[in-house]
Amino acid sequence: MTRLVSLRGAALQLRANPARSSLTAFGVLIGVWLVTIIVTLGATAQGFVADETHRSFGLSGVAALTLGDTAGDPEGPRALTARELNWLRRRATELGLPHAAEVTLAQTSLRLGDQVEFGSVVAVTDDIGAVRDFRLVAGRALTHSDISNNRRVAVVSGALLRRLKVTPESLLGASARSGPEPSDIYSVVGVLVPSLTGDNGLYVPNGSEARRAQRDRPGEVEFLVNTSGAEQAAVVALLQNEFATAFPDRSLVAAGADPAAREVARLSNAFVAVLALLAAAALVVGTLAIASVMSISVRQRESEVGIRRAFGARASDIYKLFLAEASFLAFTGGVCGVYLGLLVVVTATRVARIAFDVPIQLVIPATVLWTAVVITVALGVVAGLLPARTAARLDVIAALRDE
Amino acid sequence: MTALVRLVGLSRSVPDGYVLRPILRDVDLRLDYRTSVLISGPSGSGKSTLLNILGLLDRPSAGSYWLDGVDVAALNDDERSELRGGVVGFVFQHFHLLPTLSVLENVLMPSDYTVGRQSALRDRAEDLLAIVGLADRFESKPMFLSGGEQQRVAIARALLREPKLLLADEPTGALDGATAEEVRGLLMAAVQEVGSTAVLVSHDVARYGPVVDRHFTLVDGRLTPAEGVPR
Ligand SMILES: Nc1ncnc2c1ncn2[C@@H]1O[C@H](COP(=O)(O)OP(=O)(O)OP(=O)(O)O)[C@@H](O)[C@H]1O
Ligand SMILES: [Mg+2]
């Protein structure tokens, strides 16, 4: 009951003393607001960088194995053969690694309605969903069932959206053509998040397409294995060695192990760490705001403390009164801060997308945000502890004396 | 039958430089239930100090104090707060209302520290405000009330929990003559109605002398029955 009384008192205080209370809540609000913006923009930027890196160098968890230069071969590198791909599949299965193959065909014309775009068709095999992290703006990803049944469906690159100036939804159901045959028509079921580098990929299930491509026009054939960053180098080395033994004078290179991709990931982590420090500083500012306003509050309300004590309030009641007020203000400020911060970030990414054509995808790290609110309330309580103790220990007679 | 208040050999001194300065010296007092007492005396004679000790806000340096049969020397701070909330009501010279609360909320403030039925206290608060003539001002803020009205709110607040002991330090000291007379009348009537023992401190002997049961003077820390006490 006393806790309810304290909370009601805190709410009353907020109503009764809006200027001071909202000032306190405002301090916290600014802190949490900054944290929200910093953390959300950080996560969004990191996601963006990761997406771009993914497209430029291959995802860090995915190693893309291709055939390297074959020494002494005047024709240069050729595609992995079906036999070699089967060997890689078997080894990857034995090692328990999710895997898939992608066969990029040479330039192909894509027709979407009456518009024509030039791009590449990427024929994918096996469970591509277990390897590639398809981020979609509309529709669905290719499923295992699409691929094993060789359905005529496609997931298209988001870059097309800007070229064709259409909405993601309008691409769904459109038919894409990769060649002159009736079997070269695919129905679009998903649209990927647009990227800055903007490849024109049209991902389709494998089958005759891939086999034909390999036979007629040796394109790029990549075997993808999904490994965690730490063991990636070891897995890649193992496969490379065994492959060299199984197929003498053929060698594999790993694109996903590109050091540039790792460097970018490292930099973006450092960037987020700096942002986290800024966020922590913002929270400290919020805490100091509560502490200072609370101690002013205690001084201004000395006579109230005396009056309440005269009417039977115990020292602990006074303590709770001020502590509840600090927590209440911190919580109110924290929640408002999160919402206002999200408002800013949502607006900012929308402006970036619409006005500056930066295809950034908002990432809201909800757990981080709620942790920030919880920490703020905790800091609010901590900041309220000392002033509350001062209030509880006030000399009642002095507090009641007329100034 | 036990007395409501019993002081035996009570004294209070405060440090003054290197020596202890006595403020109250060897005070003996016995107050029954449902009586009214006036304490008068010159400024600085220790009247407020005595009231603070009676109200458990201050502790004596020596001597004993039984309040409602309880030896208060044995109580810790929380127990004193509880006894104070249960037995004592205060009326201050400068009203001491909480400026952020409405009239009704001010009267109900002591209920924050009372266990029991809050709705009954609310009814009582409304009755008391009606008795002091403020039935139509429940929602007003203290700053919009006159001094006399503020003190009437304070009287209602002090009597909310029907205290056995009402302590009033110069209750009309901040009011002009006519208002003081009106507030005094309301205070005495309300005290009568509730059945409290009232200890009034005032130098206004002419106003309070005739309406109290007993009259003491405090001079230089010594409490003595006043000459020519009525009744
Ligand atoms: N805590 C204290 N420390 C030092 N001196 C004190 C303390 N409390 C009271 N005094 C002194 O004790 C004396 C009596 O004070 P008290 O307030 O009881 O007088 P009073 O009779 O109420 O006077 P007044 O009519 O002016 O209100 C004063 O001289 C005062 O300064
Ligand atoms: Mg005094």
Side-chain angles (χ1 to χ4, degrees), chain A residues 82-165:
Chain A
R83 214 164 66 91
E84 287 163 346
L85 275 178
N86 279 337
W87 182 91
L88 283 168
R89 278 204 183 92
R90 190 169 45 80
R91 276 310 279 142
T93 310
E94 282 163 8
L95 293 168
L97 300 169
H99 59 273
E102 288 184 352
V103 180
T104 308
L105 288 91
Q107 280 279 311
T108 313
S109 72
L110 306 178
R111 283 169 185 280
L112 285 149
D114 55 352
Q115 304 191 69
V116 181
E117 273 294 325
F118 290 95
S120 47
V121 171
V122 181
V124 296
T125 70
D126 303 301
D127 198 355
I128 190 72
V131 181
R132 276 242 187 264
D133 171 29
F134 280 125
R135 289 170 188 244
L136 297 153
V137 282
R140 61 174 182 84
L142 291 180
T143 64
H144 188 72
S145 143
D146 287 336
I147 292 162
S148 54
N149 295 319
N150 207 14
R151 290 205 186 100
R152 315 300 292 174
V153 291
V155 167
V156 298
S157 157
L160 286 171
L161 297 175
R162 277 183 293 152
R163 303 251 177 86
L164 300 172
K165 303 251 184 290

Side-chain angles (χ1 to χ4, degrees), chain A residues 8-54:
Chain A
R8 203 197 68 194
L12 274 178
Q13 202 48 45
L14 188 68
R15 196 198 68 193
N17 214 325
R20 194 192 56 219
S21 303
S22 44
L23 200 69
T24 314
F26 190 67
V28 179
L29 189 149
I30 292 290
V32 175
W33 183 71
L34 284 173
V35 168
T36 305
I37 292 177
I38 290 170
V39 168
T40 312
L41 281 186
T44 300
Q46 198 177 28
F48 184 63
V49 168
D51 281 353
E52 295 306 318
T53 319
H54 168 106

Side-chain angles (χ1 to χ4, degrees), chain B residues 43-44 46-49 93 169-170 201:
Chain B
S43 183
K47 303 184 296 295
S48 296
T49 306
Q93 177 172 5
D169 197 345
E170 299 282 5
V201 162

Side-chain angles (χ1 to χ4, degrees), chain A residues 14 34 45 73 78 95 136 186 226 243 253 255 294 340 345 398:
Chain A
L14 188 68
L34 284 173
D73 188 339
R78 283 170 304 185
L95 293 168
L136 297 153
Y186 297 89
N226 199 348
F243 187 85
V253 293
M294 283 309 293
L340 290 182
V345 177

Side-chain angles (χ1 to χ4, degrees), chain B residues 71-152:
Chain B
D71 179 2
V72 301
L75 303 181
N76 66 26
D77 193 62
D78 282 357
E79 291 163 338
R80 289 161 65 87
S81 297
E82 226 155 277
L83 185 60
R84 184 190 309 135
V87 176
V88 185
F90 288 92
V91 173
F92 305 98
Q93 177 172 5
H94 294 285
F95 329 133
H96 279 331
L97 299 180
L98 298 183
T100 57
L101 302 185
S102 71
V103 162
L104 186 61
E105 287 166 343
N106 260 290
V107 176
L108 277 169
M109 182 274 286
S111 69
D112 286 352
Y113 312 106
T114 313
V115 281
R117 281 192 46 228
Q118 300 291 311
S119 60
L121 285 172
R122 202 190 152 87
D123 292 345
R124 264 204 68 69
E126 292 178 3
D127 291 348
L128 281 164
L129 280 170
I131 290 174
V132 296
L134 290 171
D136 53 346
R137 304 298 297 272
F138 287 179
E139 300 307 324
S140 303
K141 283 285 160 66
M143 65 182 294
F144 299 115
L145 299 182
S146 71
E149 288 168 334
Q150 289 188 48
Q151 193 63 309
R152 288 191 261 157

